[in-house]
Amino acid sequence: MKLTGLIAAPLTPFDAQANLAPERIPAYAAYLRDHGVAGVFVNGSTGESLSLSVPERKAAAEAWQAAKGTLKHVVHVGANSVVEARELAAHAQAIGADAIGAMPPCFFKASLAGVIDYCEAVAAAAPALPFYYYHIPGMTRVELSVRELLEQGERRIPTLAGAKFTFENLMDFQQAIDYKNGRFDLLFGRDEMLLNGLAAGAVGAVGSTYNFMAGVYLKIIAAFQANDLATARLWQARSQQLVNVLQESGSGIACCKAIMGLAGIDCGPCRIPLPRFGTAKMAWLKCRIDQIGLFRW
């Protein structure tokens, strides 16, 4: 399986008390489909996965599976406990997900060999599903060569499909794509650098801002495919304007939730330790997105 197009990293909907609100997912899924998104990467970093309990992660995955329609459904199952990760992987297979992904444990830092041991154990719990390694050193602090992981991992993990690559090392990304003439599926994970990822060979991408501005990225892809790099750069620059707002906000995930609310999809607040957007912060956000013209794009 190779995933193409835009794969949104959905936020986890909560009620006002930050309790899981899976009843909001059907409308959310319909919104993504209507805006040209091809799939969802559920319970990842944007979904506050490590702030959720195992039962909550299962309930969210079930709600997305029930509501996905034409969306591809990839479930992130990574956890610091390999026992929990295997339980989540088996559950994803049982509910009919299309694939699973897992970031490595991020408390005890593992070597490349240790990460492969972990991935082998997790993938084995869902032997019918493609397995993606989730490479996000900015969060896990686990920095390794994805190309080397694929080279060594394919000998032990029959379902190894590729990686979700959320890092700036484009040399490693391109070498991973080129390994064995494109044997593996590399999903690019930096929204603000999508054009760079396309130039390196990406055909699928996972991102947080695809939740509410998929149209911008679809224009980047279309312009790139038409060899119109000037237009592609223009739309990438607009994406970067929005990413600047996320960075200025102090919490990109909380800011994404607030923007989704303005777009008509109430995802509630974040769970602590992430902050909430109060009245003053919402006024600031509305001013900033009006300045850059987000909803006019």
Side-chain angles (χ1 to χ4, degrees), residues 82-138:
V82 70
V83 176
E84 291 183 352
R86 283 174 54 82
E87 180 180 347
L88 289 164
H91 175 263
Q93 178 170 297
I95 65 173
D98 295 296
I100 57 172
M103 67 175 73
C106 56
F107 184 76
F108 293 115
K109 302 299 189 298
S111 63
L112 174 60
V115 170
I116 293 174
D117 287 343
Y118 169 84
C119 291
E120 180 183 29
V122 175
L129 295 185
F131 175 85
Y132 288 81
Y133 174 67
Y134 184 0
H135 186 54
I136 184 166

Side-chain angles (χ1 to χ4, degrees), residues 232-269:
R233 286 195 297 268
L234 183 151
W235 287 108
Q236 185 69 83
R238 291 190 175 179
S239 153
Q240 291 167 356
Q241 286 181 296
L242 187 279
V243 171
N244 284 338
V245 174
L246 299 184
Q247 293 173 341
E248 293 166 13
S249 76
S251 172
I253 296 174
C255 194
C256 283
K257 282 198 161 184
I259 293 172
M260 283 301 291
L262 295 175
I265 302 297
D266 184 6
C267 292

Side-chain angles (χ1 to χ4, degrees), residues 172-243:
D172 185 33
F173 180 73
Q174 183 168 338
Q175 289 183 336
I177 285 180
D178 292 341
Y179 177 64
K180 287 195 172 178
N181 295 315
R183 176 193 179 321
F184 289 103
D185 190 14
L186 273 293
L187 302 169
F188 194 67
R190 283 285 188 228
D191 309 18
E192 67 276 18
M193 295 173 60
L194 176 60
L195 183 55
N196 304 80
L198 295 173
V203 295
V206 180
S208 305
T209 62
Y210 304 164
N211 281 291
F212 49 81
M213 54 189 293
V216 167
Y217 298 98
L218 291 172
K219 289 174 181 176
I220 294 171
I221 294 169
F224 176 80
Q225 291 174 342
N227 202 30
D228 183 358
L229 295 183
T231 298
R233 286 195 297 268
L234 183 151
W235 287 108
Q236 185 69 83
R238 291 190 175 179
S239 153
Q240 291 167 356
Q241 286 181 296
L242 187 279
V243 171

Side-chain angles (χ1 to χ4, degrees), residues 49-192:
S49 61
L50 297 189
S51 294
L52 304 178
S53 67
V54 168
E56 286 176 323
R57 290 174 71 173
K58 288 181 178 180
E62 289 169 7
W64 278 103
Q65 178 63 22
K68 71 171 188 174
T70 57
L71 297 171
K72 289 291 186 181
H73 182 209
V74 184
V75 181
H76 171 248
V77 300
N80 279 315
S81 164
V82 70
V83 176
E84 291 183 352
R86 283 174 54 82
E87 180 180 347
L88 289 164
H91 175 263
Q93 178 170 297
I95 65 173
D98 295 296
I100 57 172
M103 67 175 73
C106 56
F107 184 76
F108 293 115
K109 302 299 189 298
S111 63
L112 174 60
V115 170
I116 293 174
D117 287 343
Y118 169 84
C119 291
E120 180 183 29
V122 175
L129 295 185
F131 175 85
Y132 288 81
Y133 174 67
Y134 184 0
H135 186 54
I136 184 166
M139 297 295 285
T140 64
R141 304 292 186 259
V142 178
E143 190 169 344
L144 48 75
S145 166
V146 170
R147 188 202 60 78
E148 290 181 5
L149 181 141
L150 297 175
E151 180 181 0
Q152 296 182 34
E154 69 175 338
R155 303 168 193 165
R156 294 170 49 188
I157 307 170
T159 56
L160 183 60
K164 175 185 180 293
F165 195 104
T166 307
F167 197 40
E168 293 72 34
N169 188 342
L170 291 175
M171 177 177 170
D172 185 33
F173 180 73
Q174 183 168 338
Q175 289 183 336
I177 285 180
D178 292 341
Y179 177 64
K180 287 195 172 178
N181 295 315
R183 176 193 179 321
F184 289 103
D185 190 14
L186 273 293
L187 302 169
F188 194 67
R190 283 285 188 228
D191 309 18
E192 67 276 18

